[in-house]
């Protein structure tokens, strides 16, 4: 042990380097089980962001199923998910480059089973009895009109764009076959709803020729969100509904709906992507499930015979992508000190085996800032929630009397949530001497439907207020320097960031990562899935055109008085590059310090290692120039106009 070196906040030398964050690191995604084999997606920054399908065989050997350059990633809804399915050792997947469906087995080259077309496919299930896939199909044939979504079948033998099974609504998801292949369940919804606003759960019989008959709506509606329909091994249909304000698990059996376990807790999440799974059947009598109560996540076993919920104690704080089979479950987990990990849990012994880790590089505890869950007062006498990370590096301490700069994080979605899991991107800042507060502002998931709906009609107001009040809360307690407050966010979080910088005067700097500056531009240019999202978040257009104008930072750059750095993918189809470029030009004209870092080949969110690394370094460099500290890192300078 040695005495800490005294150095200003922000200037501390940290082992959590950009190279460490991107080197030998992956993202873990969709999981599928096929007999004794386990399959999953690995998102690999070192391979230009490729999404590879990986298999762990019964003997423990791990191998890639999809060779380079294939990338298992669908563009349905642009956000994708549900990009592959496996049956009897054969994997069927959507390839990112051409959006065709392919068939592949271990050691073989992928073979296309759909033609080159303007079709996209996602959320597949294998109908082995009829030799086909059933999936969501998105038709972009007519470029002059909105894409057409449907449930369709595709022959496993290939050669066809598929046959439509259900159409007529704006959106479909979650086609799921009953164990005997006789019935199909699915979700559907229409504009202006998003799936967390209201969806319908339908069930139909399957005829011998594969067409549907006797379709009936089981649950859901315009104000009830249904999530993850799943058939039990005994043929009962389970689903998650928020009909009581909380996403709880229900069962449809013999024409009746019954709650399995009612609790003020969330067993579901917003369906931003396909194939999400928060519960799975270990048997007809046992469900392995995730839930969150008061912002804290849990793993548990739910007895389907009596509704008893029994916690499964593991040293992790978050759980995702749950799959199960007889005797074991597979899922991803993380803790405040450990990055995303793929686990196989022996259900009888309650013993977990690590199958894969997102990063092989470990950060010593001496450099990890432990998140502290806080509840703070906000507008209208309400409370909001956040995780506070104090600056922490065992090698340094700040000069006496100095307070740390604060970075306020505004998550995307905005219907998403931040969790208390290890995040190397946050530790990058705290180990250099920044305080960080990660805000679950009103509108976030995990606190019930009423909390989500605080943002209804109030986007750009409630989220901004909560981020501002989170910063004030720490400043008032002497935990942050009120003169060095910054806010950053991506996508919807970027919108909150730009609104906070424009319509409030508390922040001294900010960083927008592919953020929204012009609500009218977003309304005009974005993709189908989110094209009516703003009806609920702001108001229907054109009736509420005044609100769209008033809450767009691009229209009020005269109120902006602090430096901003922008990061943007030039192939982003969700938030187009012009959203950032117009703001940059406005700040240049105002003679405010501004920087713009754009990336060829990147979409909505950065996947390539070199770009992730550059973004971290550029943002640190930007704050160092604005807040007046010298970073310990050797960083290639960023061009900052007007500095």
């Amino acid at each position: 042990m040695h005495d800490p070196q005294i150095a200003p906040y922000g200037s501390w030398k940290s082992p959590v380097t950009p190279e460490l964050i991107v080197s030998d690191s992956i993202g873990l995604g969709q999981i599928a089980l096929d007999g004794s084999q386990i399959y999953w997606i690995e998102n690999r920054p070192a391979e230009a962001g490729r999404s590879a399908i990986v298999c762990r065989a019964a003997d423990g050997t791990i191998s890639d199923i999809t060779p380079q350059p294939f990338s298992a990633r669908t563009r349905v809804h642009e956000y994708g998910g549900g990009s592959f399915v496996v049956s009897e050792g054969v994997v069927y997947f959507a390839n990112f480059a051409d959006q065709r469906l392919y068939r592949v087995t271990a050691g073989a080259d992928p073979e296309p089973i759909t033609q080159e077309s303007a079709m996209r496919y996602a959320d597949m299930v294998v109908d082995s009895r009829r030799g086909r896939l059933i999936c969501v199909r998105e038709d972009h044939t007519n470029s002059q009109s909105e894409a057409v979504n449907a449930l369709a079948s595709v022959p496993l033998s290939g050669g066809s764009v598929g046959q439509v099974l259900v159409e007529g609504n704006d959106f479909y998801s979650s086609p799921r076959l009953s164990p005997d292949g006789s019935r199909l369940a699915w979700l559907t919804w229409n504009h202006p709803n998003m799936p967390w606003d209201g969806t319908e759960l339908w069930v139909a019989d399957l005829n011998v020729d594969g067409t549907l008959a006797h379709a009936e709506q089981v649950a859901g509606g315009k104000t009830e969100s249904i999530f993850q329909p799943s058939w039990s091994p005994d043929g009962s249909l389970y689903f998650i509904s928020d009909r009581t304000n909380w996403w709880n698990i229900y069962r449809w059996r013999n024409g009746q709906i019954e709650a399995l376990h009612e609790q003020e807790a969330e067993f579901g999440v917003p369906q931003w992507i396909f194939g999400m799974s928060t519960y799975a059947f270990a048997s007809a009598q046992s469900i392995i499930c995730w839930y969150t109560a008061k912002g804290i996540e849990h793993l548990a076993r739910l007895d389907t015979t009596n509704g008893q919920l029994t916690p499964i104690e593991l040293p992790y704080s978050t759980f995702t992508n749950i799959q199960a089979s007889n005797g074991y479950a597979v899922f991803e987990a993380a803790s405040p000190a450990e990055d995303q990990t793929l686990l196989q849990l022996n259900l009888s012994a309650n013993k977990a085996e690590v199958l894969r880790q997102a990063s092989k590089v470990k950060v010593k505890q001496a450099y990890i800032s432990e998140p502290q869950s806080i509840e703070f007062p906000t507008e209208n006498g309400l409370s909001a929630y956040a995780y506070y990370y104090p600056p922490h590096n065992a090698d340094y301490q700040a000069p006496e009397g100095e307070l740390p700069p604060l970075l306020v994080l505004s998550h995307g979605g905005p219907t998403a949530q931040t969790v208390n899991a290890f995040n190397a991107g946050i530790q990058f800042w705290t180990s250099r001497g920044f305080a960080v507060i990660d805000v679950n502002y009103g509108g976030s998931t995990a606190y019930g439907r009423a909390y989500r709906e605080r943002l209804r009609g109030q986007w750009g107001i409630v989220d901004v207020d909560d981020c501002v009040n989170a910063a004030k809360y720490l400043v008032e307690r002497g935990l942050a320097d009120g003169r060095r407050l910054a806010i950053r966010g991506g996508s919807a979080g970027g919108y909150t960031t730009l609104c906070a910088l424009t319509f409030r005067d508390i922040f001294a700097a900010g960083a927008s990562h592919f953020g929204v500056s012009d609500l009218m531009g977003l309304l005009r240019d974005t993709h189908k899935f989110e094209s009516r999202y703003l009806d609920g978040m702001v108001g229907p257009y054109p009736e509420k055109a005044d609100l769209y104008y008033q809450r767009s930072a691009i229209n009020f750059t005269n109120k902006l008085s602090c430096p901003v750095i922008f990061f943007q993918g030039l192939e982003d189809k969700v938030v187009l590059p012009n959203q950032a470029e117009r703001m940059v030009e406005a700040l240049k004209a105002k003679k405010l310090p501004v920087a713009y870092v754009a990336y060829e080949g990147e979409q909505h969110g950065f996947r390539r290692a070199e770009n992730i690394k550059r973004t971290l370094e550029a943002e640190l460099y930007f704050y160092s120039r604005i807040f007046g500290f010298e970073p310990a890192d050797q960083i290639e300078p960023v061009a900052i106009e007007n500095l």
Side-chain angles (χ1 to χ4, degrees), residues 436-622:
V436 173
I437 188 163
D438 204 357
V439 185
N440 272 323
Y441 49 78
S444 302
T445 300
Y447 304 94
R449 184 176 182 118
Y451 193 82
R452 290 204 311 275
E453 292 194 340
R454 282 189 190 178
L455 216 53
R456 182 164 289 276
Q458 296 296 309
W459 195 28
I461 305 295
V462 166
D463 48 326
V464 173
D465 285 339
D466 290 354
C467 287
V468 166
N469 286 323
K472 288 180 176 178
Y473 180 84
L474 295 184
V475 170
E476 289 168 0
R477 280 153 183 76
L479 299 174
D481 184 348
R483 298 165 300 173
R484 294 192 293 173
L485 304 179
I487 183 169
R488 71 191 296 263
S491 189
Y495 170 72
T496 301
T497 293
L498 292 174
C499 284
L501 294 170
T502 303
F503 301 118
R504 306 289 194 277
D505 60 4
I506 185 173
F507 295 105
S512 170
H513 297 242
F514 39 94
V516 178
S517 63
D518 179 8
L519 291 178
M520 278 299 302
L522 182 66
L523 190 72
R524 179 181 61 249
D525 297 331
T526 198
H527 55 119
K528 178 183 177 180
F529 180 62
E530 292 185 273
S531 63
R532 298 287 302 278
Y533 190 15
L534 299 189
D535 280 36
M537 305 293 290
V538 181
Y541 186 85
E543 295 91 325
K544 299 293 183 180
D546 56 329
L547 295 183
Y548 284 75
Y549 184 88
Q550 292 166 14
R551 296 187 199 166
S552 295
I554 191 63
N555 300 322
F556 297 93
T557 53
N558 61 305
K559 295 185 176 182
L560 236 175
S561 59
C562 70
V564 188
I565 185 169
F566 295 82
F567 299 93
Q568 181 69 44
L570 294 179
E571 293 184 12
D572 194 336
K573 303 299 183 185
V574 178
V575 179
L576 301 190
N578 60 16
Q579 293 265 342
E581 291 162 358
R582 291 173 61 204
M583 285 294 291
V584 171
E585 292 306 313
L587 268 69
K588 284 182 181 178
K590 282 200 70 178
K591 304 301 182 183
L592 281 171
V594 61
Y596 180 47
V597 182
Y599 299 116
E600 295 280 356
E602 290 283 17
Q603 292 90 39
H604 196 62
F606 308 143
R607 293 172 175 266
R608 300 185 179 186
E610 63 272 22
N611 296 338
I612 297 170
K613 176 177 179 292
R614 179 56 175 160
T615 298
L616 285 166
E617 291 179 335
E619 192 170 343
L620 176 62
Y621 177 84
F622 185 78

Side-chain angles (χ1 to χ4, degrees), residues 118 139-147:
D139 185 350
H140 290 257
T141 301
N142 188 346
S143 61
Q144 302 304 310
S145 64
E146 192 173 65

